[in-house]
């Protein structure tokens, strides 16, 4: 009887989906009524410049339920319209943006896009109804509060020297936020690779892209000189990292080796700045702008790669059910493969072995991605030394350690709205309860129990 009831519930509550059909090839994508082949060539390296006066019209004989737009460098705000409705798009500035047409304006055979300023679009994909194919990235906005905040220097460091870290804590249901110190705006293919790789390892909250251009040096002095050449100061970098700490209020922060792993100056600079930022983030007199917006934050635990004191050893060779039995090492290897422009580098052999012979993360000896040290802690030292969240529960049960900025009328209204939203019962929950009651009345065999939250 229980199995039968479970089957009925599954059939009613969980709809059976078919895969959405990619109808891009059969769609007409017109810019000011002229066909544009480049916008359908599925190449991220080519793009079309769209001005604020231009209109993109998309037509198909089938109803259009979704669009996937790959921008050249960043998304811009625009409007999607049909004959009777319109809605905003591009407001988050995502490089890869999925637009749920059905949700915004209803499914249509013809829709238009207009942007408020110049934007460069590499590709537009068009989809019919159904579940999206795996290559579509549906990004959430950055975390409101993060459990783990990773300060990665470049696009690919998160898959290399922090190999295994992201999939490990994604699989543990932690809220993970990635912040990049550099921006790669001079080489936009690395921005696309960055997103593809993050999505493969389970990250869904959009990363923050840094203010520093990519530039090579082998020392802190060289990195500071490159910073000056980019018309930036050490204070600019410090303000940026303090703001990230205050904004995301992480329980655990992870940074690079103080010596920059292989002596990369920007790795060294990133951690040099971070060591100052974790103290200043809790200083009300520092960086007034970010304090007024986010308050202060005293980071409970900060780990640095290869730090010699209070060492912990991570295990990235455990099969993870979240990733269908693949290990964190294997998942990060798949993430790194998305960085096509970097496959020729020495990092590839470092990660995989010279002839791709490595099968575990423990085989990587130099700059081992397993080794970290607890640089700073508000909750004492680690005992088990294998989990960055050790002792964090103890902190969560104590008094909150953040200082909030002065409350404004706008903040009060937002809090009222949030409380109202929390009181609303989802329609799916109402349907489920109704169905259970009906089955209980019919069979007289349902016992209600209250689960602990």
């Amino acid at each position: 009887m229980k199995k039968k009831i479970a089957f009925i519930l599954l059939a009613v509550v969980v709809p059976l989906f078919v895969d959405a059909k990619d109808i891009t090839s059969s769609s007409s994508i017109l810019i000011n009524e002229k066909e544009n082949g480049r916008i359908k060539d599925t190449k991220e390296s080519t793009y079309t410049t769209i001005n604020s006066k231009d209109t993109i019209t998309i037509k198909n004989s089938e109803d259009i339920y979704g669009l996937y737009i790959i921008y050249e460098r960043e998304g811009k705000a625009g409007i999607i319209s049909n004959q009777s409705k319109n809605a905003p798009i591009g407001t988050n500035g995502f490089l890869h943006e999925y637009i749920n047409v059905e949700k915004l304006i209803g499914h249509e055979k013809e829709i238009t896009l207009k942007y408020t300023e110049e934007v460069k679009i590499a590709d537009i994909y068009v989809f019919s109804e159904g579940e999206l194919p795996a290559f579509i990235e549906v990004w959430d906005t950055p975390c409101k509060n993060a459990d783990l905040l990773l300060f990665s220097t470049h696009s690919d460091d998160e898959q290399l020297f922090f190999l295994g870290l992201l999939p490990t804590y994604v699989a543990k249901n932690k809220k993970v936020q990635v912040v990049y110190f550099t921006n790669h705006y001079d080489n936009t293919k690395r921005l696309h690779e960055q997103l593809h790789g993050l999505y493969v390892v389970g990250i869904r909250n959009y990363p923050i892209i840094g203010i520093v251009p990519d530039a090579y040096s082998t020392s802190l002095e060289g990195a500071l000189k490159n910073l000056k050449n980019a018309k930036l100061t050490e204070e600019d970098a410090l303000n940026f990292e303090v703001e990230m700490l205050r904004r995301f209020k992480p329980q655990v922060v992870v940074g690079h080796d103080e010596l920059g792993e292989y002596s990369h100056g920007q790795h060294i600079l990133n951690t040099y700045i971070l060591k100052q930022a974790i103290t200043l983030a809790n200083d009300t007199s520092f960086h007034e702008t970010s304090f007024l917006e986010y308050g202060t934050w005293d980071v409970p635990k900060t780990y640095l790669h290869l730090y010699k004191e209070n060492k912990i050893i991570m295990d990235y060779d455990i099969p993870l059910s979240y990733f269908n039995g693949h290990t964190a090492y294997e998942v990060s290897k798949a993430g790194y493969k998305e960085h096509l422009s970097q496959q020729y580098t020495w990092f590839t052999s470092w990660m995989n072995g010279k002839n791709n012979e490595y099968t575990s993360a423990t085989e990587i000896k130099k700059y081992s991605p397993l080794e970290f040290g607890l640089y700073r802690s508000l909750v004492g030292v680690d005992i088990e030394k294998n989990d960055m969240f050790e002792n964090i529960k103890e902190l969560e049960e104590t008094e909150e350690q953040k200082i909030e900025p002065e409350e404004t009328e706008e903040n009060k209204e937002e809090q009222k709205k949030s409380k109202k939203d929390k009181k609303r019962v989802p329609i799916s929950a109402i349907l489920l309860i109704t169905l259970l009651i009906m089955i209980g009345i019919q069979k007289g065999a349902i016992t209600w129990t209250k689960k602990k939250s």
Side-chain angles (χ1 to χ4, degrees):
M1 179 61 71
K2 288 182 181 178
K3 287 184 179 178
K4 188 174 181 181
I5 290 174
F7 176 78
I8 292 171
L9 290 178
L10 182 65
V12 174
V13 178
V14 183
L16 297 175
F17 288 108
V18 296
D19 288 341
K21 187 164 65 172
D22 184 344
I23 55 175
T24 308
S25 60
S26 62
S27 298
S28 294
I29 301 181
L30 311 172
I31 300 174
N32 301 327
E33 300 303 319
K34 294 182 180 180
E35 281 279 0
N36 185 290
R38 202 161 40 204
I39 218 162
K40 292 169 59 176
D41 66 5
T42 69
K43 294 179 181 178
E44 293 170 349
S45 58
T46 64
Y47 61 86
T48 300
T49 301
I50 307 297
N51 296 309
S52 59
K53 295 179 181 179
D54 294 332
T55 299
I56 302 174
T57 304
I58 304 171
K59 302 177 183 179
N60 199 287
S61 58
E62 297 186 50
D63 281 355
I64 299 167
Y65 280 79
L67 298 177
Y68 186 48
I69 302 182
I70 305 293
Y71 297 96
E72 188 265 343
R73 174 170 154 171
E74 60 185 345
K76 296 291 179 67
I79 298 291
I80 183 171
S81 307
N82 57 24
Q83 291 184 350
S84 58
K85 292 182 181 178
N86 62 69
I89 59 172
T91 53
N92 293 313
F94 292 168
L95 182 66
H96 302 166
E97 179 182 18
Y98 176 70
I99 300 171
N100 189 328
V101 176
E102 163 70 8
K103 183 177 179 180
L104 291 178
I105 60 172
H107 54 86
E108 294 285 344
K109 290 181 172 59
E110 181 176 331
I111 55 178
T112 61
L113 307 176
K114 284 187 70 69
Y115 288 88
T116 57
E117 58 182 302
E118 181 180 286
V119 64
K120 295 175 181 178
I121 298 178
D123 293 299
I124 296 179
Y125 295 85
V126 188
F127 295 97
S128 62
E129 185 179 18
E131 287 206 330
L132 297 172
F135 77 90
I136 302 298
E137 299 165 8
V138 184
W139 288 100
D140 295 326
T141 54
C143 294
K144 184 175 181 182
N145 292 318
D147 294 317
L148 185 146
L149 179 60
L150 172 63
F151 281 95
S152 179
T153 301
H154 302 99
S155 169
D156 73 4
D157 288 329
E158 76 285 0
Q159 310 289 1
L160 292 168
F161 303 110
F162 303 108
L163 172 160
L165 180 71
L166 299 181
T168 291
Y169 286 110
V170 166
K172 290 185 177 183
N173 203 31
K174 299 297 184 184
K175 293 175 289 183
V176 180
Q177 182 65 49
V178 179
V179 171
Y180 292 96
F181 190 62
T182 59
N183 54 45
H184 298 292
Y185 288 148
D186 63 339
N187 186 3
T188 54
K189 63 184 173 184
R190 297 197 69 180
L191 296 173
H192 295 292
E193 294 170 351
Q194 181 172 272
L195 292 184
H196 296 323
L198 287 176
Y199 213 81
V200 165
V201 300
I203 300 300
R204 295 296 180 264
N205 294 101
Y206 201 80
I208 300 297
I209 309 302
I211 61 172
V212 181
D214 184 17
Y216 184 71
S217 66
T218 57
S219 66
L220 176 62
E221 292 73 24
L224 287 169
K225 184 178 179 180
N226 286 335
L227 199 64
K228 186 177 179 180
N229 291 338
K231 297 182 169 36
L232 293 168
T233 66
E234 185 177 328
E235 187 176 5
D236 291 329
L238 190 56
N239 286 347
F240 171 73
E241 294 206 3
V242 166
E243 182 173 328
M244 295 300 101
L245 294 172
R246 288 173 170 176
R247 173 179 174 178
F248 295 116
K249 296 180 170 52
Q251 297 296 318
V252 173
V253 166
V254 182
H256 280 272
D257 170 29
E258 291 176 295
L259 300 178
E261 281 85 21
Y262 57 103
S263 300
H264 195 305
Q266 286 187 318
H267 292 203
I268 297 169
L269 177 60
N270 189 356
T271 295
Y272 170 76
I273 294 295
L274 177 60
K275 287 161 63 178
Q276 300 173 65
I278 56 175
T279 300
L280 292 172
N282 199 39
D283 184 344
T284 58
S285 66
F286 183 80
H287 196 182
E288 183 180 358
T289 303
S290 67
F291 166 66
L292 291 175
E293 187 169 2
Y294 304 114
T296 62
W297 185 248
D298 203 0
V299 179
K301 298 181 82 175
T302 302
Y303 287 91
L304 300 181
H305 184 217
L306 301 179
Y307 190 64
K308 299 300 183 185
E309 298 180 32
N310 306 312
K311 287 182 67 173
I312 71 168
I313 304 296
M314 301 295 289
D315 189 347
Y316 297 145
D317 297 322
I318 304 170
L320 303 172
S321 58
Y322 187 94
F323 292 102
N324 297 317
H326 293 289
T327 67
Y329 170 60
E330 291 168 339
V331 175
S332 285
K333 284 207 297 184
Y336 175 67
K337 281 183 181 178
E338 297 294 328
H339 294 261
L340 298 177
S341 68
Q342 304 304 299
Q343 296 303 304
Y344 76 94
T345 64
W346 64 268
F347 304 122
T348 304
S349 293
W350 171 85
M351 182 186 214
N352 300 320
K354 286 186 179 179
N355 297 304
N356 205 33
E357 73 266 26
Y358 290 172
T359 58
S360 68
T362 56
E363 294 176 84
I364 304 173
K365 302 302 181 184
K366 196 172 185 180
Y367 318 126
S368 170
L370 308 178
E371 297 179 15
F372 291 86
L374 182 59
Y375 173 75
R376 181 177 181 270
S377 175
L378 304 181
V379 295
V381 297
D382 296 329
I383 304 301
E384 299 295 329
K385 299 183 183 299
N386 59 8
D387 182 6
M388 293 182 179
F389 284 83
E390 185 177 349
N391 300 326
I392 286 294
K393 184 178 179 184
E394 178 184 334
L395 178 79
E396 291 170 347
E397 292 170 350
T398 64
E399 186 177 350
E400 194 85 18
Q401 33 92 4
K402 63 182 176 182
I403 299 175
E404 295 289 1
E406 185 178 350
E407 191 172 45
T408 64
E409 289 301 318
E410 186 179 348
N411 289 339
K412 289 178 183 177
E413 286 300 316
E414 191 172 329
Q415 287 173 6
K416 285 180 185 177
K417 183 177 182 299
S418 177
K419 286 178 182 177
K420 283 182 181 179
D421 290 341
K422 286 179 181 177
K423 290 179 181 178
R424 292 175 183 167
V425 180
I427 293 173
S428 59
I430 295 171
L431 290 171
L432 178 59
I433 292 168
T434 303
L435 181 61
L436 286 171
I437 291 171
M438 290 171 65
I439 295 170
I441 292 170
Q442 183 179 1
K443 303 295 183 181
I446 293 180
T447 303
W448 293 89
T449 58
K450 186 177 181 181
K451 294 181 180 179
K452 293 181 181 180
S453 58

